[in-house]
Amino acid sequence: MPKTSAYILFHTDACHLCEQAQALICALNIDFVLQDICDDEQLAQRYGVRIPVLLREADGAELGWPFDSEQLQQFTGV
């Protein structure tokens, strides 16, 4: 059974901004899954120049980079 989460972080490998975003999310203990946009052509087209982007699955809201801990807390309610 695949892991489900309330949040998806769209990223790609070797993206230093994505690594920074992931570190912020982990520091706040937010449950999320990683989705590499290179695995899906539609995602690559949608997010290619915007990653990292955190998607809230409940309502489809997106938090685009750059964001800091305070903005992340407001977005997630943590």
Side-chain angles (χ1 to χ4, degrees):
M1 183 175 215
K3 180 180 172 161
T4 59
S5 175
Y7 299 95
I8 299 172
L9 180 63
F10 293 104
H11 78 107
T12 193
D13 288 340
C15 167
H16 72 282
L17 297 177
C18 299
E19 292 168 3
Q20 291 174 21
Q22 186 175 351
L24 278 174
I25 295 166
C26 288
L28 293 175
N29 292 318
I30 296 166
D31 186 33
F32 72 102
V33 294
L34 287 169
Q35 173 66 56
D36 192 328
I37 65 168
C38 291
D39 295 339
D40 183 308
E41 182 61 33
Q42 288 182 324
L43 292 177
Q45 288 179 4
R46 182 172 179 182
Y47 295 109
V49 296
R50 296 177 45 214
I51 57 169
V53 174
L54 187 64
L55 172 76
R56 184 171 52 217
E57 290 198 276
D59 61 3
E62 296 178 346
L63 180 62
W65 189 260
F67 53 81
D68 59 22
S69 289
E70 185 176 316
Q71 291 166 313
L72 187 56
Q73 287 174 317
Q74 289 175 350
F75 182 75
T76 60
V78 171

